[in-house]
Amino acid sequence: MKKFLALMLLVVAAFAFAQTVNWAFLQEPISLNIWDYLGPNATVWTGYVLSPRYPGLYSYSDVRFDWVPSLAADLPEIVQEGDLWVYTVKLRTDAVWSDGTQFTADDVVWTLNTVRKLITDYGLGGNWASYIDKDYFVKAEKVDDFTVKAYFTQPSLAKANFGALMVPILQKKYWEPKIEEAFKTGNPLQTIYNYDTSDEPILGAFAFKRWEKGAFIEIEARDDYYDKGSVLTLYKNGAVKIENPNTGFVWTGYGEAAGEKELELVTGPYVENIVYRMYLNRSAAITALINGDVSFIFNSLGLQKGEEDQLAKIANVKIIKNSVNGFRYMCFNMRRFPMNIKEFRQAIAALVDREFLTSRVLGGQAFPHEKISNEHKRIQTGNSCSGRS
């Protein structure tokens, strides 16, 4: 899935250990059905609520984005068997669904094979098709209750490590009868998208509590969340250690867990409830932040210069800016006249005052292309009109 940049705001004060925190949304999620969200109705607002509920076998470490186990117990063992490449994955034994059911290989195998079937036979698309590429992922098999084999036509970081092995895992007991029921209808995918999933068991830290349309969504922390209290330690030598003293789970990878530490984080949740409150516009959300009605504003597009200047003057508000890992740009459409004439483009380039445009018109929120930093150069590809975000 694409990662969305967010400029995050919070009130620095009493909210740190509150029982309930209120966060502001600028748009209401479309659906809380994971099939619909990762299918035709993927929005950042739905993702904010749903993504933390559905861990995969592997995930990214905080800050450094190392590829680390989540529901898996270790990195996969990879061998070639005939024409196929087999990834053997050991699973954690301490993960429990929110209905108290033990997480096992049955859930993993069912999820992977069902997603592939829906893609192949019924045209399931969206981000599901990005996770499971039917031309690479062949099938999953259960070895025992806590061991899975995933078969691929070839080894691939994109298709295996960052694809099928990161797909959100769903509970077989809950979803299998619903999917079988949907197969008997005239439109299986739409039937699946329309299921009410308010009672769905999840593996993530916060379970659904209630949704008042147009007003708020409330979620509540799980006391039995499998990763609660887990300590993530990043070492400057590149090693990663994950240790949960509550369950006894320990994993170390990418070198010896020794030497100077780069980061140490303890997993929550640290609050009992989170309420996502809906606001009609940015001004209303910012006013709520200033008044202390919310402690955080989700905003995938960041702040406008005037908004940032306004909030910088508020004593009890702190602005936190995340590192930029993408960019926006403007370029010529070189397929259309007169932009297809090289000399015409050069003339425009010579006439544009880049310093004035970026510093005055855009308020310092952009920079001239010739001053592009080495960091931005590394993420730019192709000609001057190429890039990624």
Side-chain angles (χ1 to χ4, degrees):
M1 290 175 57
K2 291 184 177 178
K3 300 296 179 181
F4 293 91
L5 297 177
L7 182 60
M8 300 180 293
L9 312 174
L10 56 86
V11 174
V12 181
F15 292 106
F17 298 98
Q19 299 301 304
T20 299
V21 294
N22 293 281
W23 290 349
F25 267 22
L26 303 180
Q27 188 173 318
E28 192 153 21
I30 294 176
S31 168
L32 296 186
N33 180 313
I34 186 67
W35 293 101
D36 192 31
Y37 160 55
L38 290 178
N41 284 313
T43 73
V44 63
W45 309 102
T46 306
Y48 285 144
V49 178
L50 288 189
S51 294
R53 292 161 54 91
Y54 300 94
L57 295 176
Y58 295 90
S59 184
Y60 300 105
S61 70
D62 292 277
V63 178
R64 213 164 64 191
F65 299 104
D66 304 280
W67 191 68
V68 297
S70 180
L71 292 170
D74 202 348
L75 299 183
E77 176 187 293
I78 307 172
V79 298
Q80 187 173 10
E81 294 184 4
D83 294 333
L84 299 179
W85 291 82
V86 184
Y87 288 59
T88 301
V89 180
K90 294 288 186 180
L91 305 179
R92 291 179 63 157
T93 61
D94 57 348
V96 178
W97 294 93
S98 55
D99 65 352
T101 304
Q102 174 73 54
F103 160 74
T104 70
D106 291 322
D107 300 306
V108 177
V109 170
W110 182 86
T111 299
L112 293 173
N113 290 339
T114 301
V115 171
R116 189 185 191 283
K117 178 179 177 62
L118 286 169
I119 292 171
T120 303
D121 296 350
Y122 298 95
L124 177 66
N127 286 305
W128 290 112
S130 298
Y131 277 119
I132 302 290
D133 187 323
K134 60 184 177 61
D135 294 327
Y136 285 85
F137 174 73
V138 179
K139 62 179 179 178
E141 290 181 349
K142 174 182 175 180
V143 178
D144 56 44
D145 283 346
F146 297 102
T147 308
V148 169
K149 284 186 176 182
Y151 293 80
F152 297 86
T153 56
Q154 59 181 280
S156 169
L157 287 174
K159 304 297 184 179
N161 298 48
F162 300 106
L165 299 185
M166 294 184 79
V167 70
I169 301 301
L170 308 180
Q171 190 190 62
K172 177 182 178 180
K173 184 179 75 171
Y174 178 86
W175 276 110
E176 186 175 43
K178 293 181 180 294
I179 300 298
E180 292 299 327
E181 177 186 57
F183 286 155
K184 300 173 185 177
T185 66
N187 191 336
L189 289 184
Q190 195 58 52
T191 301
I192 294 169
Y193 300 151
N194 289 339
Y195 280 131
D196 176 8
T197 60
S198 57
D199 61 342
E200 178 190 7
I202 52 101
L203 287 166
F206 286 88
F208 174 80
K209 186 173 183 180
R210 56 180 171 161
W211 183 0
E212 295 291 338
K213 294 291 181 70
F216 65 86
I217 293 175
E218 184 176 2
I219 59 175
E220 57 185 351
R222 291 180 52 202
D223 290 332
D224 58 349
Y225 174 49
Y226 74 97
D227 220 22
K228 184 176 182 178
S230 180
V231 182
L232 168 72
T233 307
L234 305 181
Y235 294 85
K236 288 197 171 181
N237 65 2
V240 181
K241 184 176 182 180
I242 301 173
E243 182 175 13
N244 192 328
N246 297 323
T247 66
F249 174 75
V250 180
W251 175 81
T252 302
Y254 305 119
E256 182 182 0
E260 189 175 355
K261 297 177 181 179
E262 184 176 341
L263 178 74
E264 188 171 85
L265 292 175
V266 181
T267 301
Y270 291 101
V271 296
E272 291 182 2
N273 300 83
I274 298 175
V275 179
Y276 302 96
R277 299 197 175 277
M278 312 301 166
Y279 290 87
L280 295 177
N281 54 61
R282 297 153 67 105
S283 296
I286 289 173
T287 299
L289 178 70
I290 293 173
N291 293 338
D293 297 327
V294 299
S295 57
F296 191 93
I297 297 177
F298 283 92
N299 186 358
S300 60
L301 298 178
L303 286 175
Q304 296 177 0
K305 186 64 167 60
E307 295 168 342
E308 184 175 344
D309 292 341
Q310 176 190 7
L311 289 167
K313 300 174 183 177
I314 307 301
N316 66 331
V317 172
K318 182 177 180 181
I319 299 176
I320 298 175
K321 296 183 180 181
N322 62 313
S323 299
V324 175
N325 62 0
F327 61 87
R328 298 184 181 94
Y329 60 91
M330 294 188 297
C331 68
F332 297 114
N333 182 348
M334 293 184 286
R335 296 176 179 175
R336 298 186 62 180
F337 177 85
M339 299 301 181
N340 61 341
I341 303 172
K342 179 180 178 181
E343 291 76 15
F344 183 82
R345 299 196 305 269
Q346 290 174 332
I348 291 180
L351 289 171
V352 172
D353 186 339
R354 292 176 175 80
E355 291 289 349
F356 177 82
L357 182 63
T358 56
S359 63
R360 299 290 296 277
V361 178
L362 298 177
Q365 299 301 295
F367 49 86
H369 182 272
E370 58 264 28
K371 291 189 175 182
I372 196 167
S373 67
N374 288 331
E375 177 184 356
H376 286 85
K377 286 178 181 178
R378 285 196 296 271
I379 62 174
Q380 198 172 14
T381 61
N383 60 36
S384 62
C385 291
S386 300
R388 78 182 200 208
S389 61

